[in-house]
């Protein structure tokens, strides 16, 4: 049974790699956006200011890495709940903002 499970995992992993072989940046964007999304959620739900600040630093670093990928400009970021994306009317630039609640939710940094 364990071998069957390992084979199924290997098959799924291989199929995903083959499907994304022509689009390696798509996989990189998706993977990085999951990291950013998780950190964004942790910013909002962190147990203390120091925890939220730590997740904010990771969020910022992950977003910076993500935005260096050329394909990120057209990425929707819909899964990242703590991120607001504003695109100019001529679609030449985007503004990314998020909030960091502090002081038990009484103050916010942007």
């Amino acid at each position: 049974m364990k071998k069957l499970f390992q084979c199924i995992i290997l098959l799924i992993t291989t199929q995903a790699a083959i499907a994304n072989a022509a689009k390696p940046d798509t996989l990189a964007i998706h993977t990085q956006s999951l990291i950013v999304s998780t950190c964004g959620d942790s910013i909002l739900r962190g147990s203390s200011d120091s925890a939220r600040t730590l997740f904010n630093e990771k969020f910022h670093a992950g977003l910076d890495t993500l935005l260096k990928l050329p394909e990120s400009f057209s990425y929707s970021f819909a899964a990242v709940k703590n991120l607001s994306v504003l695109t100019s009317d001529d679609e030449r630039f985007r503004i990314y903002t998020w909030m960091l609640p502090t002081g038990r939710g009484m103050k916010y940094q942007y």
Side-chain angles (χ1 to χ4, degrees):
M1 185 71 168
K2 185 176 180 181
K3 288 284 187 187
L4 177 63
F5 181 73
Q6 290 173 340
C7 288
I8 291 171
I9 295 298
L10 180 61
L11 178 65
I12 292 170
T13 305
T14 304
Q15 291 297 326
I18 290 169
N20 289 306
K23 306 174 194 176
D25 289 338
T26 303
L27 182 59
I29 287 174
H30 181 68
T31 302
Q32 193 65 31
S33 71
L34 287 175
I35 294 168
V36 170
S37 179
T38 302
C39 289
D41 187 54
S42 296
I43 290 170
L44 297 174
R45 299 175 190 260
S47 60
S48 66
D49 285 351
S50 59
R52 287 188 292 275
T53 300
L54 178 64
F55 285 117
N56 183 63
E57 291 169 5
K58 291 181 181 187
F59 179 89
H60 186 247
L63 184 62
D64 186 50
T65 300
L66 184 57
L67 293 177
K68 288 179 181 175
L69 300 171
E71 293 79 10
S72 68
F73 189 80
S74 60
Y75 192 72
S76 73
F77 294 97
V80 184
K81 301 299 180 198
N82 193 27
L83 182 68
S84 175
V85 180
L86 180 64
T87 305
S88 67
D89 290 338
D90 61 2
E91 297 184 359
R92 295 186 68 185
F93 67 92
R94 294 173 102 181
I95 298 172
Y96 302 87
T97 60
W98 67 95
M99 65 178 175
L100 169 63
T102 59
R104 297 185 184 135
M106 302 301 287
K107 298 179 183 178
Y108 293 91
Q109 295 179 22
Y110 299 91

